[in-house]
Every structure is written in C-alpha cells, then in structure tokens.
Amino acid sequence: MPATATVEQPTPDVEATFELARNHFGHVPNLVRVLASNPTMCASVTAFFAQALRDGRVDWAFKELVILKTLRAIKAYYSYGAHERLAIDLGNSAERVGDLANSLWRTSPHYTDAERAVFALVEQIGIDANAVGDDVWDELKRHWDAGQLIELNALITTFVMIGRTGDALGVADPNLFSRSVS
Amino acid sequence: MAQLPYVEPEDADAVTAQIYNSAEQRFQMVLNIFKITGHAPEMAEKMWQIFFDILQDGQVDWPTKELLILKSTKMGDCLYCVTQHEVVAERLGVSPEKQADIVGVEYRHSPHYTEAERAILDLTSHVVLDPEQIPSDVWARVHEHYDDGQIVEIVATIGAYLQVSKFGDALGVELEAVFHGHQPVLFAKEPPSSKAAQQHFEHFLANTPSA
C-alpha cells in the first residue's frame, strides 16, 4: 500500500505528465500516479526518470545494469524486478544480470573493463561518495568521455533518488514498460 | 580539483546557457555543480528542473524544505550541500540555533521545532537509512500534519538531495570561494562520520577565519 494516494483520474495540471509517461512507458507507472498528488514535482521527477531510461550517450542496455547495481548498492529495491526484465529485453544475457551480485562483477568474463569501471563507481557511491578515489576516476576516464561520465553519474544518483522515493512512498511497479523496447 | 572540468558560461551550448541563466536568476551565481553538468546538457536540463521546483515555496514552504535538505545532506556527509544550505536557510529565517538542533535527534526536544517538523525529520532519517521499512507510527505522525501532495513534495525533496549530494561528492565538486568564510553550524556540532568527509571538512576549516 502506498503511503499516499494513487491518482487514477488526472487533474488538468498533471494531464501533460501522464501523456509524457504514456508515450514513454506505454502506460502511466504507479510511481507517476503516486507523485501526481503534487503536479509540480510529478512533472519534473517524471521527466528526469524518462530521460534516464533510453539510449543516450551510453546505451540503454548497459544503463539497466548500472541501475540494478545501484539499487543493490543503496539497498532500495523499488521496481528492481522490472529493471531485471528490462535488462534482458534490451539484450543483456542472464549472466550479465546475475553476475552483478556482490563482488562477482569484478571477475566475471561477461563485462568489459569499461563496464567494470562503472560498477566500481556505483559501489563506492553506495559506501561513501566522498571517498571515490582518483584510481576509480582514472579508470573511468580511460574508457568514457566527459559527457558519458556525467550521464552515468546522473543515472546512478537518479536511481538513488528514484529507489528511495519509490520505496519510501511504498510504490510497486511490477512493469515499467508496456510498450516494446527492443 | 574536481574530476571533470567545469564548463564555463562562454563555452556553454544553448541548452546549458539557458540553465546557467536560470541558475543565476535564482541563486545570483552559477555554482560549480551546475557547471560540471554542462558536458551533458540533455541530462542537466531535466536534473536541474527538479531543484528549481524544490527551491521555492510549493505545497510545502521553502524554509521547511531547507530543514529536510540540511538533515538529509548532513546524514550523507555532504559538506558542499550543508554549507550552501546553512547560508540559504539563514537567509530564509532559520536561525543557526535552530539549524544546529537538526543533528542526531536533538530536534525532538529542541524548543525551536514544531511537532510537524519533528515528524518529517524523523521521516527523513528513515528515508536515508532504510526506505524499505518506515515504521507506521512515523507515517501516522507525518499524516497528522501534512496532506498527500505535501508528503510527495517532502519525500521528493529528501530523495533529490540525496541524489545531488552524491552526484557532486562523487565528482569532487568544490565549494565556491564565496562560501569559504562561512562559520559551519551542523558539522561544528557533529563532525562528519566518514574519514574522507572529515578530511574535506578540515580542509574547509583551514580556509575559514576563526570567529
């Protein structure tokens, strides 16, 4: 049970946000319906959320692995199952999803060095964002450009927000996308 | 040194320039954390809109949101956020005495806080520490004082500040020189818990003239 109301009939001031959600996700996710009690925050949080879940400077398939690793690292599991299915639908193997666990990603043959560098950043942000060492950034900068690194850091921290907000408000979204993503 | 260069206004593309203009109008300066996002304008535009929405009176008044920001970023050991928001909170009328009582659970007994504020500060601790298991009595106290639209704004504010604090800290975004003379309130009362944050704080104090 969510902590606040789930808006089924949008008021005029959230209709545009529901429309954006329908176009992007195929339907209006429950998180968006719960945020809709506050049309202003619903609009900006939904827009940021939707911007993260698409191909960008970094491809969406890998971004889903980063999201899963982030939710694990911060121990907030809002829509974890939906992201697992999305990761597979976008072309990741079961091994690439499963090996994210614990420290398995460090030795798994299913990731590139570039991908491992990002998981190291995620883990360190989960432990203490103040202590991300130069070694972590040096490795990241070997593989990714500045625009990609801002996108990745924004993605990781967006899911710090989305994971905690969804969990705190008690929202469940078994599926985020009802449209085809592949 | 931050891990990536700041994109200065003269090098910004059209989208980034628009963000910088909005930031300057709202905060009288373009903070370093805005400048570092200039490398990915399409993300920056969406990310900063959330903060432009939060940093004003909404369904919850701005000073109340500053309490949530101070509490969540203090718990996250974010010197950059806490320092800036101590300044903002004081400008909005939140006295340093009231600010200081936000650490730990001091606010529960402090005469500076209302029952409504105590309820949402307790909620903040739970959202930061374990959002999967927020006790029902905490929610009951929050619902006594705030309606659903306000609660969404409260939780979104906490979540957004956990986001931006980790975003900036991971990149090593530096406090702007203009804040260097600020006398710290929250971290003076309770030092940072992590060793790395403690080092940032000591470096900051070395740049701060004593009162």
Side-chain angles (χ1 to χ4, degrees):
Chain A
M1 269 284 288
T4 56
T6 303
V7 176
E8 298 299 342
Q9 292 303 320
T11 52
D13 45 0
V14 288
E15 183 44 56
T17 304
F18 277 28
E19 186 61 24
L20 181 152
R22 269 192 296 270
N23 287 335
H24 189 70
F25 297 100
H27 67 288
V28 183
N30 290 326
L31 179 64
V32 178
R33 292 186 184 279
V34 167
L35 294 173
S37 293
N38 188 305
T40 304
M41 296 315 302
C42 183
S44 53
V45 174
T46 302
F48 191 33
F49 188 35
Q51 178 70 34
L53 299 179
R54 67 181 73 192
D55 283 323
R57 294 163 192 265
V58 178
D59 70 70
W60 189 6
F62 177 59
K63 290 207 281 190
E64 285 298 330
L65 300 183
V66 176
I67 291 166
L68 290 169
K69 190 68 193 155
T70 301
L71 295 174
R72 297 182 72 99
I74 64 162
K75 299 181 178 62
Y77 295 96
Y78 159 72
S79 76
Y80 190 90
H83 286 291
E84 273 192 332
R85 283 187 291 282
L86 261 175
I88 299 280
D89 289 347
L90 289 164
N92 288 289
S93 64
E95 289 80 4
R96 278 170 63 79
V97 175
D99 288 0
L100 290 169
N102 308 319
S103 59
L104 199 51
W105 59 271
R106 290 185 186 275
T107 51
S108 168
H110 302 288
Y111 308 115
T112 64
D113 288 346
E115 291 172 333
R116 269 191 274 269
V118 178
F119 298 144
L121 174 66
V122 176
E123 272 199 0
Q124 189 52 51
I125 287 177
I127 297 164
D128 179 5
N130 280 297
V132 182
D134 288 343
D135 53 335
V136 172
W137 280 108
D138 289 347
E139 185 63 12
L140 284 164
K141 285 184 256 188
R142 276 185 55 211
H143 299 286
W144 306 93
D145 67 27
Q148 291 173 316
L149 288 171
I150 290 297
E151 177 168 327
L152 285 163
N153 194 34
L155 177 74
I156 295 162
T157 56
T158 298
F159 278 82
V160 169
M161 169 174 65
I162 295 288
R164 284 214 158 79
T165 302
D167 264 1
L169 291 171
V171 183
D173 267 306
N175 282 300
L176 282 172
F177 284 83
S178 49
R179 69 164 169 92
S180 164
V181 295
S182 48
Chain B
M1 279 286 286
Q3 293 290 353
L4 295 172
Y6 300 122
V7 177
E8 295 300 333
E10 56 272 25
D11 302 320
D13 75 346
V15 172
T16 306
Q18 181 59 43
I19 298 167
Y20 289 181
N21 282 339
S22 303
E24 189 140 18
Q25 280 170 22
R26 296 286 298 273
F27 314 118
Q28 288 77 52
M29 65 183 293
V30 184
L31 298 165
N32 289 339
I33 198 155
F34 286 98
K35 290 184 188 171
I36 209 160
T37 62
H39 297 289
E42 73 289 353
M43 291 303 294
E45 185 184 31
K46 299 292 191 293
M47 174 170 150
W48 293 122
Q49 185 59 48
I50 296 174
F51 296 89
F52 292 145
D53 288 347
I54 290 172
L55 297 174
Q56 60 186 3
D57 287 326
Q59 294 188 36
V60 178
D61 64 79
W62 190 359
T64 300
K65 288 190 273 191
E66 287 297 329
L67 301 178
L68 304 170
I69 294 167
L70 286 172
K71 183 70 182 165
S72 56
T73 59
K74 171 67 175 72
M75 290 182 75
D77 270 347
C78 182
L79 180 66
Y80 185 85
C81 304
V82 168
T83 303
Q84 292 185 0
H85 284 277
E86 285 177 353
V87 174
V88 175
E90 185 162 10
R91 271 190 214 145
L92 292 172
V94 183
S95 68
E97 294 75 25
K98 179 166 181 169
Q99 290 180 32
D101 284 349
I102 217 160
V103 305
V105 290
E106 297 273 322
Y107 59 87
R108 288 191 191 154
H109 312 288
S110 163
H112 301 296
Y113 286 86
T114 65
E115 283 303 317
E117 290 168 339
R118 288 175 185 140
I120 54 175
L121 291 173
D122 280 348
L123 177 68
T124 304
S125 301
H126 287 284
V127 175
V128 174
L129 295 174
D130 188 3
E132 296 248 317
Q133 301 187 49
I134 297 175
S136 56
D137 66 297
V138 171
W139 273 124
R141 285 167 48 223
V142 171
H143 279 291
E144 249 177 64
H145 301 284
Y146 296 96
D147 66 24
D148 284 2
Q150 291 173 314
I151 291 171
V152 166
E153 188 162 324
I154 286 162
V155 174
T157 299
I158 300 164
Y161 271 84
L162 291 170
Q163 187 269 323
V164 76
S165 59
K166 296 199 183 302
F167 181 88
D169 284 341
L171 281 162
V173 173
E174 299 133 309
L175 260 174
E176 297 74 13
V178 68
F179 292 102
H180 283 175
H182 175 71
Q183 295 297 322
V185 181
L186 270 58
F187 284 119
K189 184 150 178 183
E190 181 190 77
S193 52
S194 94
K195 198 173 147 210
Q198 180 66 38
Q199 283 168 353
H200 292 325
F201 186 51
E202 280 161 13
H203 180 254
F204 174 72
L205 288 178
N207 280 304
T208 303
S210 53

